Amino acid sequence: MLSRIADSIYWMSRYLERAGDTARLMEINLLYLLEAEEDMSEGDKWRPLLSITSAEAAFSGLYGEGQLTQGRVLQFMTAEKSNGNSIRTCLRLARENARIARDRISREMWEAINELWLNVDQQLKTPLHPLRASQFFSFVRGEVARFHGLTTTTMMRGEAFGFYRLGTFLEQADMTARILDVKYHLLLPDLSLVGSALDYYQWAALLKSLSGYEAFRRKYHAGFRPMDVVEFTIFEQEFPRSLAYTVKRMRRALADTGITGQQRSPAAMERLEGMLAGNSAERIFSTGLHEFLEEFLAAIAALNQAAQADFLDTHREEP
């Protein structure tokens, strides 16, 4: 398999998943605002979204140190062309990578991603109004889920499918770690608020942003204890967006890409798995959740770099 095709499929899935996750975060934050404390500033309500996506510097570079408003964040996260992680940019790049790998994906996949890009591009030609924002984010999230379904039912299994799943699960693990880290350190810095109504709504919003609210409530009946949420989002093997679940699927996807003879990717994969094996929520809390998540995100970045070096970057030297 040509590495430039593998590279396109890998990044098609990453950009698509990133667009869907961003839409999911924005949709949940709009819902959270309805339940937030009345004395919270507009900046406090939207700054965590920029932190999760590491976009604070880019946002300040575009708007300066002026007021952080809902309208600016909506524009920046959905349609801003200079923001490499905006929904519009991610879908444009996903569609471009799909075009390059068109002979390796199914006709249904190509039609779905092309239609999604054209639809979103048309909708974002004018600024997204707050009154139709929830509908737009729900549409994007739903279409990304539909694309994953089409891929599962129409794409040939093999190396290409392995790269698709590797990109998808790597992106999901990255987003879960970022969301958990922001909640722990930014949303509730005042320990006196632990157990308050605000604390309840924030943990609920976190779980909803990961589509895990209902599953968590079915398993845990003692409210939203931080230890239980961390156990669920990091170690729950049956929760599709937990770190344990996504790392396990990354291992399978890496095997499907044909890792024979490669050293860097398997070593990076073992480092990720080693961070979870034999570990526990209690041990992570005792040594520092933020420190653990920072190390986990670095390990994900290292796996991405290893995969690039082992499989993907070599296409620049191909004829």
Side-chain angles (χ1 to χ4, degrees), residues 161-310:
F161 191 68
F163 283 109
Y164 173 83
R165 287 172 61 82
L166 179 63
T168 298
F169 287 120
L170 191 148
E171 197 69 29
Q172 288 183 359
D174 182 276
M175 184 60 76
T176 296
R178 289 175 183 275
I179 290 173
L180 193 54
D181 197 26
V182 168
K183 160 57 188 165
Y184 191 74
H185 280 272
L186 295 180
L187 290 180
L188 193 64
D190 187 347
L191 293 179
S192 67
L193 295 177
V194 173
S196 66
L198 178 61
D199 191 33
Y200 176 91
Y201 288 130
Q202 287 178 347
W203 283 118
L206 182 151
L207 290 165
K208 287 176 182 176
S209 69
L210 296 172
S211 297
Y213 178 79
E214 290 81 9
F216 179 88
R217 294 298 302 271
R218 283 195 292 271
K219 181 163 185 174
Y220 298 94
H221 306 290
F224 295 99
R225 299 193 311 166
M227 189 75 73
D228 292 339
V229 177
V230 169
E231 176 70 31
F232 182 75
T233 54
I234 293 181
F235 295 105
E236 177 53 59
Q237 294 283 346
E238 304 302 321
F239 176 46
R241 286 184 176 271
S242 75
L243 300 188
Y245 184 96
T246 49
V247 167
K248 187 174 182 179
R249 267 62 186 179
M250 274 191 267
R251 161 63 75 182
R252 292 182 184 176
L254 192 61
D256 291 338
T257 62
I259 61 173
T260 303
Q262 305 294 345
Q263 299 296 325
R264 286 165 291 201
S265 298
M269 194 69 245
E270 287 179 11
R271 180 189 172 193
L272 261 181
E273 292 173 322
M275 293 186 66
L276 300 176
N279 211 338
S280 67
E282 291 83 358
R283 184 175 299 172
I284 288 175
F285 266 105
S286 67
T287 57
L289 176 60
H290 174 65
E291 288 74 13
F292 170 83
L293 293 171
E294 271 199 331
E295 186 181 351
F296 187 85
L297 287 169
I300 289 179
L303 176 59
N304 172 65
Q305 293 171 357
Q308 292 283 158
D310 284 343

Side-chain angles (χ1 to χ4, degrees), residues 122-140:
Q122 181 64 34
Q123 289 197 55
L124 296 180
K125 287 188 181 302
T126 57
L128 183 63
H129 194 282
L131 292 179
R132 66 180 183 91
S134 289
Q135 183 180 4
F136 172 78
F137 296 135
S138 178
F139 166 76
V140 173

Side-chain angles (χ1 to χ4, degrees), residues 19-199:
D21 283 342
T22 300
R24 180 192 304 273
L25 285 171
M26 297 294 287
E27 184 181 12
I28 294 301
N29 205 59
L30 286 171
L31 177 63
Y32 163 72
L33 295 183
L34 300 176
E35 302 166 331
E37 300 264 308
E38 292 183 356
D39 58 353
M40 284 185 73
S41 70
E42 201 166 356
D44 289 339
K45 294 174 181 176
W46 286 99
R47 188 168 292 105
L49 269 296
L50 300 178
S51 299
I52 289 173
T53 54
S54 300
E56 290 173 302
F59 184 87
S60 297
L62 184 65
Y63 294 107
E65 299 300 324
Q67 188 177 11
L68 195 159
T69 65
Q70 175 177 282
R72 286 178 174 180
V73 176
L74 282 177
Q75 175 66 20
F76 184 77
M77 298 296 287
T78 57
E80 177 54 47
K81 294 181 180 179
S82 66
N83 178 12
N85 291 323
S86 73
I87 291 174
R88 185 186 185 282
T89 300
C90 286
L91 291 179
R92 179 180 63 77
L93 293 173
R95 189 258 190 190
E96 180 63 20
N97 280 285
R99 186 188 62 77
I100 295 172
R102 192 168 174 179
D103 65 339
R104 290 301 186 103
I105 64 176
S106 68
R107 177 177 57 82
E108 288 86 351
M109 291 169 64
W110 165 251
E111 290 177 351
I113 201 168
N114 190 48
E115 289 172 5
L116 175 57
W117 158 246
L118 293 174
N119 190 315
V120 168
D121 187 47
Q122 181 64 34
Q123 289 197 55
L124 296 180
K125 287 188 181 302
T126 57
L128 183 63
H129 194 282
L131 292 179
R132 66 180 183 91
S134 289
Q135 183 180 4
F136 172 78
F137 296 135
S138 178
F139 166 76
V140 173
R141 183 169 54 82
E143 287 301 298
V144 170
R146 186 171 78 91
F147 184 85
H148 287 323
L150 283 172
T151 302
T152 300
T153 54
T154 65
M155 188 175 184
M156 289 285 290
R157 274 21 178 195
E159 294 178 353
F161 191 68
F163 283 109
Y164 173 83
R165 287 172 61 82
L166 179 63
T168 298
F169 287 120
L170 191 148
E171 197 69 29
Q172 288 183 359
D174 182 276
M175 184 60 76
T176 296
R178 289 175 183 275
I179 290 173
L180 193 54
D181 197 26
V182 168
K183 160 57 188 165
Y184 191 74
H185 280 272
L186 295 180
L187 290 180
L188 193 64
D190 187 347
L191 293 179
S192 67
L193 295 177
V194 173
S196 66
L198 178 61
D199 191 33

